[in-house]
Amino acid sequence: MSEILSSPLLAVVVPCYKEEAVLHETHIRLSLLFDRLITDGTIAPESYILYVNDGSTDRTWPIIRELHATTRYARGLNLAGNVGHQNALLAGLTTVKERCDIAISIDADLQDDINVIPDMIAAYREGNDIVYGVRRERKTDTLFKRTTALGFYRLMQLMGVKSVYNHADYRLMSRRALQHLCRFRERNLFLRGLVPLIGYRTANVYYNRDKRFAGESKYPLRKMLNFAVDGITSFSVKPVRMIFWMGCIFILIALGVTAWTLYSYCLHNTVPGWASLIISIWLVGGVVLVSLGIVGEYIGKIYIEVKDRPRYNEEELLM
Ligand code: UDP
Ligand code: MG
C-alpha cells in the first residue's frame, strides 16, 4: 500500500505497427501530459512511455530510436517480427511489469482520450487495481461498426465470456495485476477477456473516442472477424455444448417423426421403404450429433487443461 501513497511510477505501453505518421504527434501529446502529471506529483519523475514496434516495415522503429535518444520519456522495444496487436501489447506489459507501479496501455493513434489518465490514476489511488477506459458514445463510428460491436458483445455474454462493454485495450493495471496477467500462458490472446479473470477491485472511467488523427486503421474487417472468433473460442466451450443439445432436439424430433411415420404406415398411405428411411435419417442424425457433443465435451476439457490458466489469484494472505 505504501506505493499508493507516494507518486506511482507510470509506464504507458504503446503498441505500434506502421505508425510513422502518428508517432511524433503522439509522443508530443503524451509528453505534455507527463510533464503536467510529474509537476503536480501525480506520478513519479521516472515514469516513461514504452513504444513497442510490432515488426513494422516503415520508419516506425527509427522514429522510436530517435525519440529515445532526443526526448525525456521515450523507451522502445523492437519485436523481431509482426506478432499482432495483442501479442505486441502483452510483450510491452511483460517488459514493464518489474519496472513500474502502474501501466496504462493505449493505441498509438491516441483515439482514446489521454485526458482521462489522471482519473485512472485517481481510481488506482482509491484502491482499484484495474481501471477500464470505457467509450461513452460511438459518434465517430459508423452505424455498421456500432451494431457489429454491440452484437459481438451480446454474443460474448451469451457464450459466458466476461468482458466490459465498449472497453477496448485502454486500461490501467497495477503491478500485481500485471504480474498475475503474465501467469496466463495461452497463445490465442484476447486480453480484454483475460483481464476480468484477474480479479481485484476494478473501476471504469468514461471518455469519448476520437477519430484517428493520421495514418489508417490496421484493423480491417478480416482481422476484426478473426479477433471476434478468437475472443469467443478462447473463452468458451459453449459452442460444443450447443451441438450436444442440438442432437438431443434431433432425437426428440425423431421420436415425433417415428410416431407419425408409423401412424401413416399403418394407414397404408406410404410408399414402401419411406417409413424406415425417414426414421433412420432423423434418429441417426440425432445420435451422431449427440456423440459429437460428447466427444466435444472431452475436447473442451482438454482445451481448458492445456491452457493451464492459474486457478486463483490471491488478494491478501494473513498467516
Ligand atoms: N497494431 C499492432 N500490430 C498489428 C496491428 C495493429 O501493434 O499487427 C497496433 C497499432 O499500431 C495501434 C493499435 O494496434 O497502436 C490499434 O490499431 P488501429 O488503431 O489501427 O485499430 P483501430 O483503432 O482501427 O481498431
Ligand atoms: Mg485506432
Side-chain angles (χ1 to χ4, degrees), residues 157-189:
Q157 262 189 331
L158 208 70
M159 295 290 159
V161 187
K162 270 204 245 169
S163 65
V164 180
Y165 179 56
N166 262 347
H167 159 69
D169 281 305
Y170 181 32
R171 72 179 82 82
L172 176 147
M173 293 172 77
S174 69
R175 184 184 177 130
R176 62 174 188 167
L178 279 178
Q179 280 165 342
H180 191 72
L181 180 72
C182 292
R183 292 177 59 203
F184 288 80
R185 313 202 43 81
E186 58 203 77
R187 250 119 238 291
N188 293 297
L189 263 192

PDB file of all heavy atoms in Angstrom, residues 157-189:
ATOM      1  N   GLN A 157     -21.462 -12.314 -24.199  1.00  0.00           N
ATOM      2  CA  GLN A 157     -22.213 -12.511 -22.960  1.00  0.00           C
ATOM      3  C   GLN A 157     -22.954 -13.834 -22.996  1.00  0.00           C
ATOM      4  O   GLN A 157     -22.938 -14.609 -22.038  1.00  0.00           O
ATOM      5  CB  GLN A 157     -23.231 -11.392 -22.802  1.00  0.00           C
ATOM      6  CG  GLN A 157     -22.772 -10.284 -21.904  1.00  0.00           C
ATOM      7  CD  GLN A 157     -23.926  -9.323 -21.639  1.00  0.00           C
ATOM      8  OE1 GLN A 157     -24.817  -9.155 -22.461  1.00  0.00           O
ATOM      9  NE2 GLN A 157     -23.906  -8.694 -20.492  1.00  0.00           N
ATOM     10  N   LEU A 158     -23.578 -14.104 -24.134  1.00  0.00           N
ATOM     11  CA  LEU A 158     -24.355 -15.325 -24.322  1.00  0.00           C
ATOM     12  C   LEU A 158     -23.455 -16.547 -24.150  1.00  0.00           C
ATOM     13  O   LEU A 158     -23.863 -17.582 -23.639  1.00  0.00           O
ATOM     14  CB  LEU A 158     -24.936 -15.301 -25.737  1.00  0.00           C
ATOM     15  CG  LEU A 158     -26.234 -16.047 -25.957  1.00  0.00           C
ATOM     16  CD1 LEU A 158     -27.357 -15.304 -25.252  1.00  0.00           C
ATOM     17  CD2 LEU A 158     -26.530 -16.131 -27.446  1.00  0.00           C
ATOM     18  N   MET A 159     -22.219 -16.410 -24.584  1.00  0.00           N
ATOM     19  CA  MET A 159     -21.266 -17.521 -24.510  1.00  0.00           C
ATOM     20  C   MET A 159     -20.604 -17.595 -23.138  1.00  0.00           C
ATOM     21  O   MET A 159     -19.712 -18.390 -22.902  1.00  0.00           O
ATOM     22  CB  MET A 159     -20.184 -17.358 -25.584  1.00  0.00           C
ATOM     23  CG  MET A 159     -20.714 -17.456 -26.983  1.00  0.00           C
ATOM     24  SD  MET A 159     -21.208 -19.133 -27.344  1.00  0.00           S
ATOM     25  CE  MET A 159     -22.317 -18.884 -28.694  1.00  0.00           C
ATOM     26  N   GLY A 160     -21.006 -16.692 -22.263  1.00  0.00           N
ATOM     27  CA  GLY A 160     -20.487 -16.747 -20.900  1.00  0.00           C
ATOM     28  C   GLY A 160     -19.102 -16.147 -20.731  1.00  0.00           C
ATOM     29  O   GLY A 160     -18.395 -16.474 -19.788  1.00  0.00           O
ATOM     30  N   VAL A 161     -18.680 -15.276 -21.670  1.00  0.00           N
ATOM     31  CA  VAL A 161     -17.374 -14.626 -21.527  1.00  0.00           C
ATOM     32  C   VAL A 161     -17.578 -13.286 -20.828  1.00  0.00           C
ATOM     33  O   VAL A 161     -18.361 -12.460 -21.280  1.00  0.00           O
ATOM     34  CB  VAL A 161     -16.723 -14.371 -22.903  1.00  0.00           C
ATOM     35  CG1 VAL A 161     -15.314 -13.859 -22.735  1.00  0.00           C
ATOM     36  CG2 VAL A 161     -16.751 -15.624 -23.736  1.00  0.00           C
ATOM     37  N   LYS A 162     -16.859 -13.101 -19.729  1.00  0.00           N
ATOM     38  CA  LYS A 162     -16.964 -11.821 -19.025  1.00  0.00           C
ATOM     39  C   LYS A 162     -16.172 -10.779 -19.791  1.00  0.00           C
ATOM     40  O   LYS A 162     -15.012 -10.989 -20.118  1.00  0.00           O
ATOM     41  CB  LYS A 162     -16.305 -11.938 -17.636  1.00  0.00           C
ATOM     42  CG  LYS A 162     -17.230 -12.378 -16.530  1.00  0.00           C
ATOM     43  CD  LYS A 162     -16.660 -11.895 -15.199  1.00  0.00           C
ATOM     44  CE  LYS A 162     -16.256 -13.078 -14.333  1.00  0.00           C
ATOM     45  NZ  LYS A 162     -15.468 -12.661 -13.175  1.00  0.00           N
ATOM     46  N   SER A 163     -16.781  -9.641 -20.115  1.00  0.00           N
ATOM     47  CA  SER A 163     -15.990  -8.539 -20.671  1.00  0.00           C
ATOM     48  C   SER A 163     -16.744  -7.243 -20.418  1.00  0.00           C
ATOM     49  O   SER A 163     -17.921  -7.251 -20.113  1.00  0.00           O
ATOM     50  CB  SER A 163     -15.718  -8.753 -22.165  1.00  0.00           C
ATOM     51  OG  SER A 163     -16.922  -8.714 -22.892  1.00  0.00           O
ATOM     52  N   VAL A 164     -16.027  -6.156 -20.534  1.00  0.00           N
ATOM     53  CA  VAL A 164     -16.628  -4.855 -20.245  1.00  0.00           C
ATOM     54  C   VAL A 164     -17.093  -4.226 -21.539  1.00  0.00           C
ATOM     55  O   VAL A 164     -16.319  -4.104 -22.491  1.00  0.00           O
ATOM     56  CB  VAL A 164     -15.605  -3.930 -19.545  1.00  0.00           C
ATOM     57  CG1 VAL A 164     -16.214  -2.575 -19.252  1.00  0.00           C
ATOM     58  CG2 VAL A 164     -15.087  -4.580 -18.283  1.00  0.00           C
ATOM     59  N   TYR A 165     -18.366  -3.833 -21.607  1.00  0.00           N
ATOM     60  CA  TYR A 165     -18.917  -3.297 -22.844  1.00  0.00           C
ATOM     61  C   TYR A 165     -18.260  -1.966 -23.208  1.00  0.00           C
ATOM     62  O   TYR A 165     -18.071  -1.111 -22.351  1.00  0.00           O
ATOM     63  CB  TYR A 165     -20.437  -3.121 -22.698  1.00  0.00           C
ATOM     64  CG  TYR A 165     -21.087  -2.540 -23.931  1.00  0.00           C
ATOM     65  CD1 TYR A 165     -20.915  -3.167 -25.165  1.00  0.00           C
ATOM     66  CD2 TYR A 165     -21.832  -1.383 -23.872  1.00  0.00           C
ATOM     67  CE1 TYR A 165     -21.486  -2.652 -26.305  1.00  0.00           C
ATOM     68  CE2 TYR A 165     -22.420  -0.862 -25.015  1.00  0.00           C
ATOM     69  CZ  TYR A 165     -22.226  -1.499 -26.233  1.00  0.00           C
ATOM     70  OH  TYR A 165     -22.788  -0.979 -27.358  1.00  0.00           O
ATOM     71  N   ASN A 166     -17.916  -1.837 -24.495  1.00  0.00           N
ATOM     72  CA  ASN A 166     -17.306  -0.612 -25.001  1.00  0.00           C
ATOM     73  C   ASN A 166     -15.926  -0.321 -24.432  1.00  0.00           C
ATOM     74  O   ASN A 166     -15.478   0.815 -24.414  1.00  0.00           O
ATOM     75  CB  ASN A 166     -18.215   0.595 -24.756  1.00  0.00           C
ATOM     76  CG  ASN A 166     -19.017   0.923 -26.008  1.00  0.00           C
ATOM     77  OD1 ASN A 166     -18.714   0.405 -27.080  1.00  0.00           O
ATOM     78  ND2 ASN A 166     -20.009   1.770 -25.863  1.00  0.00           N
ATOM     79  N   HIS A 167     -15.284  -1.371 -23.955  1.00  0.00           N
ATOM     80  CA  HIS A 167     -13.911  -1.194 -23.488  1.00  0.00           C
ATOM     81  C   HIS A 167     -12.994  -1.923 -24.456  1.00  0.00           C
ATOM     82  O   HIS A 167     -13.240  -3.079 -24.783  1.00  0.00           O
ATOM     83  CB  HIS A 167     -13.755  -1.767 -22.082  1.00  0.00           C
ATOM     84  CG  HIS A 167     -12.332  -2.081 -21.724  1.00  0.00           C
ATOM     85  ND1 HIS A 167     -11.405  -1.090 -21.522  1.00  0.00           N
ATOM     86  CD2 HIS A 167     -11.685  -3.248 -21.587  1.00  0.00           C
ATOM     87  CE1 HIS A 167     -10.238  -1.654 -21.250  1.00  0.00           C
ATOM     88  NE2 HIS A 167     -10.378  -2.960 -21.286  1.00  0.00           N
ATOM     89  N   ALA A 168     -11.968  -1.222 -24.945  1.00  0.00           N
ATOM     90  CA  ALA A 168     -11.020  -1.892 -25.822  1.00  0.00           C
ATOM     91  C   ALA A 168      -9.782  -2.204 -24.987  1.00  0.00           C
ATOM     92  O   ALA A 168      -9.907  -2.762 -23.919  1.00  0.00           O
ATOM     93  CB  ALA A 168     -10.699  -1.026 -27.011  1.00  0.00           C
ATOM     94  N   ASP A 169      -8.616  -1.817 -25.450  1.00  0.00           N
ATOM     95  CA  ASP A 169      -7.440  -2.168 -24.659  1.00  0.00           C
ATOM     96  C   ASP A 169      -6.823  -0.955 -23.996  1.00  0.00           C
ATOM     97  O   ASP A 169      -5.622  -0.889 -23.787  1.00  0.00           O
ATOM     98  CB  ASP A 169      -6.429  -2.915 -25.527  1.00  0.00           C
ATOM     99  CG  ASP A 169      -6.845  -4.364 -25.699  1.00  0.00           C
ATOM    100  OD1 ASP A 169      -7.041  -5.031 -24.678  1.00  0.00           O
ATOM    101  OD2 ASP A 169      -7.008  -4.815 -26.837  1.00  0.00           O
ATOM    102  N   TYR A 170      -7.652   0.003 -23.676  1.00  0.00           N
ATOM    103  CA  TYR A 170      -7.192   1.203 -22.977  1.00  0.00           C
ATOM    104  C   TYR A 170      -7.505   1.004 -21.498  1.00  0.00           C
ATOM    105  O   TYR A 170      -8.648   1.110 -21.078  1.00  0.00           O
ATOM    106  CB  TYR A 170      -7.953   2.407 -23.535  1.00  0.00           C
ATOM    107  CG  TYR A 170      -7.574   3.748 -22.936  1.00  0.00           C
ATOM    108  CD1 TYR A 170      -6.277   4.004 -22.504  1.00  0.00           C
ATOM    109  CD2 TYR A 170      -8.510   4.765 -22.843  1.00  0.00           C
ATOM    110  CE1 TYR A 170      -5.944   5.235 -21.979  1.00  0.00           C
ATOM    111  CE2 TYR A 170      -8.187   5.996 -22.324  1.00  0.00           C
ATOM    112  CZ  TYR A 170      -6.898   6.231 -21.896  1.00  0.00           C
ATOM    113  OH  TYR A 170      -6.568   7.445 -21.391  1.00  0.00           O
ATOM    114  N   ARG A 171      -6.465   0.655 -20.722  1.00  0.00           N
ATOM    115  CA  ARG A 171      -6.742   0.395 -19.312  1.00  0.00           C
ATOM    116  C   ARG A 171      -5.494   0.587 -18.459  1.00  0.00           C
ATOM    117  O   ARG A 171      -4.370   0.529 -18.952  1.00  0.00           O
ATOM    118  CB  ARG A 171      -7.277  -1.022 -19.123  1.00  0.00           C
ATOM    119  CG  ARG A 171      -6.276  -2.121 -19.287  1.00  0.00           C
ATOM    120  CD  ARG A 171      -6.881  -3.467 -19.064  1.00  0.00           C
ATOM    121  NE  ARG A 171      -7.563  -3.954 -20.254  1.00  0.00           N
ATOM    122  CZ  ARG A 171      -6.937  -4.542 -21.266  1.00  0.00           C
ATOM    123  NH1 ARG A 171      -5.635  -4.746 -21.225  1.00  0.00           N
ATOM    124  NH2 ARG A 171      -7.593  -4.938 -22.334  1.00  0.00           N
ATOM    125  N   LEU A 172      -5.730   0.827 -17.199  1.00  0.00           N
ATOM    126  CA  LEU A 172      -4.640   0.897 -16.234  1.00  0.00           C
ATOM    127  C   LEU A 172      -4.607  -0.402 -15.457  1.00  0.00           C
ATOM    128  O   LEU A 172      -5.646  -0.932 -15.077  1.00  0.00           O
ATOM    129  CB  LEU A 172      -4.873   2.071 -15.279  1.00  0.00           C
ATOM    130  CG  LEU A 172      -3.879   2.242 -14.123  1.00  0.00           C
ATOM    131  CD1 LEU A 172      -3.708   3.725 -13.796  1.00  0.00           C
ATOM    132  CD2 LEU A 172      -4.294   1.512 -12.850  1.00  0.00           C
ATOM    133  N   MET A 173      -3.401  -0.911 -15.229  1.00  0.00           N
ATOM    134  CA  MET A 173      -3.257  -2.088 -14.385  1.00  0.00           C
ATOM    135  C   MET A 173      -2.141  -1.864 -13.380  1.00  0.00           C
ATOM    136  O   MET A 173      -1.111  -1.284 -13.702  1.00  0.00           O
ATOM    137  CB  MET A 173      -2.916  -3.317 -15.228  1.00  0.00           C
ATOM    138  CG  MET A 173      -4.054  -3.742 -16.141  1.00  0.00           C
ATOM    139  SD  MET A 173      -3.547  -5.022 -17.258  1.00  0.00           S
ATOM    140  CE  MET A 173      -3.576  -6.395 -16.159  1.00  0.00           C
ATOM    141  N   SER A 174      -2.385  -2.305 -12.161  1.00  0.00           N
ATOM    142  CA  SER A 174      -1.356  -2.176 -11.147  1.00  0.00           C
ATOM    143  C   SER A 174      -0.296  -3.252 -11.389  1.00  0.00           C
ATOM    144  O   SER A 174      -0.514  -4.187 -12.152  1.00  0.00           O
ATOM    145  CB  SER A 174      -1.953  -2.376  -9.771  1.00  0.00           C
ATOM    146  OG  SER A 174      -2.330  -3.732  -9.632  1.00  0.00           O
ATOM    147  N   ARG A 175       0.813  -3.094 -10.734  1.00  0.00           N
ATOM    148  CA  ARG A 175       1.894  -4.043 -10.902  1.00  0.00           C
ATOM    149  C   ARG A 175       1.472  -5.465 -10.569  1.00  0.00           C
ATOM    150  O   ARG A 175       1.758  -6.407 -11.291  1.00  0.00           O
ATOM    151  CB  ARG A 175       3.029  -3.602  -9.997  1.00  0.00           C
ATOM    152  CG  ARG A 175       4.263  -4.422 -10.119  1.00  0.00           C
ATOM    153  CD  ARG A 175       5.227  -3.900  -9.082  1.00  0.00           C
ATOM    154  NE  ARG A 175       6.428  -4.684  -9.089  1.00  0.00           N
ATOM    155  CZ  ARG A 175       7.644  -4.154  -9.154  1.00  0.00           C
ATOM    156  NH1 ARG A 175       7.785  -2.860  -9.219  1.00  0.00           N
ATOM    157  NH2 ARG A 175       8.688  -4.936  -9.144  1.00  0.00           N
ATOM    158  N   ARG A 176       0.704  -5.621  -9.462  1.00  0.00           N
ATOM    159  CA  ARG A 176       0.355  -7.002  -9.106  1.00  0.00           C
ATOM    160  C   ARG A 176      -0.666  -7.589 -10.082  1.00  0.00           C
ATOM    161  O   ARG A 176      -0.669  -8.792 -10.324  1.00  0.00           O
ATOM    162  CB  ARG A 176      -0.127  -7.091  -7.660  1.00  0.00           C
ATOM    163  CG  ARG A 176      -1.382  -6.316  -7.345  1.00  0.00           C
ATOM    164  CD  ARG A 176      -1.830  -6.611  -5.918  1.00  0.00           C
ATOM    165  NE  ARG A 176      -3.131  -6.012  -5.676  1.00  0.00           N
ATOM    166  CZ  ARG A 176      -3.899  -6.289  -4.642  1.00  0.00           C
ATOM    167  NH1 ARG A 176      -3.482  -7.159  -3.752  1.00  0.00           N
ATOM    168  NH2 ARG A 176      -5.068  -5.716  -4.490  1.00  0.00           N
ATOM    169  N   ALA A 177      -1.503  -6.726 -10.671  1.00  0.00           N
ATOM    170  CA  ALA A 177      -2.436  -7.226 -11.692  1.00  0.00           C
ATOM    171  C   ALA A 177      -1.665  -7.675 -12.926  1.00  0.00           C
ATOM    172  O   ALA A 177      -1.958  -8.714 -13.516  1.00  0.00           O
ATOM    173  CB  ALA A 177      -3.437  -6.135 -12.057  1.00  0.00           C
ATOM    174  N   LEU A 178      -0.630  -6.897 -13.275  1.00  0.00           N
ATOM    175  CA  LEU A 178       0.218  -7.264 -14.418  1.00  0.00           C
ATOM    176  C   LEU A 178       0.896  -8.598 -14.175  1.00  0.00           C
ATOM    177  O   LEU A 178       0.964  -9.455 -15.055  1.00  0.00           O
ATOM    178  CB  LEU A 178       1.317  -6.215 -14.607  1.00  0.00           C
ATOM    179  CG  LEU A 178       0.964  -4.940 -15.330  1.00  0.00           C
ATOM    180  CD1 LEU A 178       2.189  -4.038 -15.365  1.00  0.00           C
ATOM    181  CD2 LEU A 178       0.499  -5.242 -16.730  1.00  0.00           C
ATOM    182  N   GLN A 179       1.393  -8.742 -12.950  1.00  0.00           N
ATOM    183  CA  GLN A 179       2.105  -9.979 -12.644  1.00  0.00           C
ATOM    184  C   GLN A 179       1.181 -11.174 -12.765  1.00  0.00           C
ATOM    185  O   GLN A 179       1.574 -12.223 -13.268  1.00  0.00           O
ATOM    186  CB  GLN A 179       2.728  -9.898 -11.247  1.00  0.00           C
ATOM    187  CG  GLN A 179       4.018  -9.108 -11.292  1.00  0.00           C
ATOM    188  CD  GLN A 179       4.493  -8.683  -9.924  1.00  0.00           C
ATOM    189  OE1 GLN A 179       3.729  -8.684  -8.968  1.00  0.00           O
ATOM    190  NE2 GLN A 179       5.742  -8.288  -9.847  1.00  0.00           N
ATOM    191  N   HIS A 180      -0.060 -10.999 -12.339  1.00  0.00           N
ATOM    192  CA  HIS A 180      -0.979 -12.119 -12.468  1.00  0.00           C
ATOM    193  C   HIS A 180      -1.339 -12.364 -13.935  1.00  0.00           C
ATOM    194  O   HIS A 180      -1.444 -13.507 -14.367  1.00  0.00           O
ATOM    195  CB  HIS A 180      -2.247 -11.899 -11.637  1.00  0.00           C
ATOM    196  CG  HIS A 180      -3.074 -13.138 -11.548  1.00  0.00           C
ATOM    197  ND1 HIS A 180      -2.704 -14.224 -10.789  1.00  0.00           N
ATOM    198  CD2 HIS A 180      -4.222 -13.503 -12.165  1.00  0.00           C
ATOM    199  CE1 HIS A 180      -3.596 -15.190 -10.930  1.00  0.00           C
ATOM    200  NE2 HIS A 180      -4.531 -14.777 -11.758  1.00  0.00           N
ATOM    201  N   LEU A 181      -1.493 -11.291 -14.690  1.00  0.00           N
ATOM    202  CA  LEU A 181      -1.816 -11.435 -16.115  1.00  0.00           C
ATOM    203  C   LEU A 181      -0.752 -12.272 -16.820  1.00  0.00           C
ATOM    204  O   LEU A 181      -1.055 -13.086 -17.686  1.00  0.00           O
ATOM    205  CB  LEU A 181      -1.919 -10.058 -16.774  1.00  0.00           C
ATOM    206  CG  LEU A 181      -2.260 -10.075 -18.264  1.00  0.00           C
ATOM    207  CD1 LEU A 181      -3.716 -10.472 -18.474  1.00  0.00           C
ATOM    208  CD2 LEU A 181      -2.002  -8.738 -18.919  1.00  0.00           C
ATOM    209  N   CYS A 182       0.505 -12.055 -16.436  1.00  0.00           N
ATOM    210  CA  CYS A 182       1.596 -12.769 -17.091  1.00  0.00           C
ATOM    211  C   CYS A 182       1.617 -14.246 -16.736  1.00  0.00           C
ATOM    212  O   CYS A 182       2.375 -15.013 -17.317  1.00  0.00           O
ATOM    213  CB  CYS A 182       2.933 -12.105 -16.767  1.00  0.00           C
ATOM    214  SG  CYS A 182       3.062 -10.483 -17.516  1.00  0.00           S
ATOM    215  N   ARG A 183       0.787 -14.657 -15.791  1.00  0.00           N
ATOM    216  CA  ARG A 183       0.727 -16.091 -15.476  1.00  0.00           C
ATOM    217  C   ARG A 183      -0.209 -16.835 -16.417  1.00  0.00           C
ATOM    218  O   ARG A 183      -0.253 -18.052 -16.412  1.00  0.00           O
ATOM    219  CB  ARG A 183       0.285 -16.287 -14.020  1.00  0.00           C
ATOM    220  CG  ARG A 183       1.358 -15.798 -13.038  1.00  0.00           C
ATOM    221  CD  ARG A 183       0.897 -15.911 -11.617  1.00  0.00           C
ATOM    222  NE  ARG A 183       0.558 -17.276 -11.268  1.00  0.00           N
ATOM    223  CZ  ARG A 183      -0.256 -17.601 -10.271  1.00  0.00           C
ATOM    224  NH1 ARG A 183      -0.807 -16.654  -9.551  1.00  0.00           N
ATOM    225  NH2 ARG A 183      -0.521 -18.843  -9.997  1.00  0.00           N
ATOM    226  N   PHE A 184      -0.953 -16.096 -17.221  1.00  0.00           N
ATOM    227  CA  PHE A 184      -1.770 -16.743 -18.252  1.00  0.00           C
ATOM    228  C   PHE A 184      -0.849 -17.039 -19.431  1.00  0.00           C
ATOM    229  O   PHE A 184      -0.277 -16.130 -20.001  1.00  0.00           O
ATOM    230  CB  PHE A 184      -2.915 -15.830 -18.693  1.00  0.00           C
ATOM    231  CG  PHE A 184      -3.998 -15.695 -17.669  1.00  0.00           C
ATOM    232  CD1 PHE A 184      -3.851 -14.838 -16.592  1.00  0.00           C
ATOM    233  CD2 PHE A 184      -5.158 -16.440 -17.762  1.00  0.00           C
ATOM    234  CE1 PHE A 184      -4.837 -14.723 -15.629  1.00  0.00           C
ATOM    235  CE2 PHE A 184      -6.158 -16.329 -16.809  1.00  0.00           C
ATOM    236  CZ  PHE A 184      -5.995 -15.471 -15.738  1.00  0.00           C
ATOM    237  N   ARG A 185      -0.727 -18.318 -19.768  1.00  0.00           N
ATOM    238  CA  ARG A 185       0.281 -18.672 -20.745  1.00  0.00           C
ATOM    239  C   ARG A 185      -0.292 -18.968 -22.127  1.00  0.00           C
ATOM    240  O   ARG A 185       0.384 -19.514 -22.987  1.00  0.00           O
ATOM    241  CB  ARG A 185       1.077 -19.881 -20.243  1.00  0.00           C
ATOM    242  CG  ARG A 185       1.519 -19.732 -18.790  1.00  0.00           C
ATOM    243  CD  ARG A 185       2.693 -20.617 -18.464  1.00  0.00           C
ATOM    244  NE  ARG A 185       3.695 -20.599 -19.504  1.00  0.00           N
ATOM    245  CZ  ARG A 185       4.611 -19.664 -19.654  1.00  0.00           C
ATOM    246  NH1 ARG A 185       4.670 -18.663 -18.808  1.00  0.00           N
ATOM    247  NH2 ARG A 185       5.472 -19.728 -20.636  1.00  0.00           N
ATOM    248  N   GLU A 186      -1.560 -18.632 -22.360  1.00  0.00           N
ATOM    249  CA  GLU A 186      -2.163 -19.045 -23.617  1.00  0.00           C
ATOM    250  C   GLU A 186      -1.679 -18.251 -24.816  1.00  0.00           C
ATOM    251  O   GLU A 186      -1.207 -17.128 -24.707  1.00  0.00           O
ATOM    252  CB  GLU A 186      -3.674 -18.945 -23.507  1.00  0.00           C
ATOM    253  CG  GLU A 186      -4.175 -17.582 -23.160  1.00  0.00           C
ATOM    254  CD  GLU A 186      -5.558 -17.687 -22.541  1.00  0.00           C
ATOM    255  OE1 GLU A 186      -5.624 -18.050 -21.359  1.00  0.00           O
ATOM    256  OE2 GLU A 186      -6.537 -17.421 -23.252  1.00  0.00           O
ATOM    257  N   ARG A 187      -1.815 -18.872 -25.952  1.00  0.00           N
ATOM    258  CA  ARG A 187      -1.317 -18.294 -27.192  1.00  0.00           C
ATOM    259  C   ARG A 187      -2.350 -17.444 -27.911  1.00  0.00           C
ATOM    260  O   ARG A 187      -2.035 -16.429 -28.505  1.00  0.00           O
ATOM    261  CB  ARG A 187      -0.914 -19.437 -28.138  1.00  0.00           C
ATOM    262  CG  ARG A 187       0.558 -19.542 -28.342  1.00  0.00           C
ATOM    263  CD  ARG A 187       1.112 -20.867 -27.888  1.00  0.00           C
ATOM    264  NE  ARG A 187       2.145 -20.663 -26.881  1.00  0.00           N
ATOM    265  CZ  ARG A 187       3.313 -20.124 -27.125  1.00  0.00           C
ATOM    266  NH1 ARG A 187       3.602 -19.689 -28.329  1.00  0.00           N
ATOM    267  NH2 ARG A 187       4.196 -19.996 -26.172  1.00  0.00           N
ATOM    268  N   ASN A 188      -3.598 -17.911 -27.913  1.00  0.00           N
ATOM    269  CA  ASN A 188      -4.648 -17.136 -28.576  1.00  0.00           C
ATOM    270  C   ASN A 188      -5.082 -16.031 -27.637  1.00  0.00           C
ATOM    271  O   ASN A 188      -5.993 -16.180 -26.857  1.00  0.00           O
ATOM    272  CB  ASN A 188      -5.842 -18.020 -28.914  1.00  0.00           C
ATOM    273  CG  ASN A 188      -5.487 -19.027 -29.972  1.00  0.00           C
ATOM    274  OD1 ASN A 188      -5.161 -18.658 -31.097  1.00  0.00           O
ATOM    275  ND2 ASN A 188      -5.506 -20.286 -29.623  1.00  0.00           N
ATOM    276  N   LEU A 189      -4.383 -14.909 -27.765  1.00  0.00           N
ATOM    277  CA  LEU A 189      -4.582 -13.848 -26.786  1.00  0.00           C
ATOM    278  C   LEU A 189      -5.823 -13.021 -27.076  1.00  0.00           C
ATOM    279  O   LEU A 189      -6.022 -12.562 -28.187  1.00  0.00           O
ATOM    280  CB  LEU A 189      -3.385 -12.907 -26.832  1.00  0.00           C
ATOM    281  CG  LEU A 189      -2.276 -13.111 -25.815  1.00  0.00           C
ATOM    282  CD1 LEU A 189      -1.376 -11.902 -25.866  1.00  0.00           C
ATOM    283  CD2 LEU A 189      -2.810 -13.343 -24.439  1.00  0.00           C
TER     284      LEU A 189
END
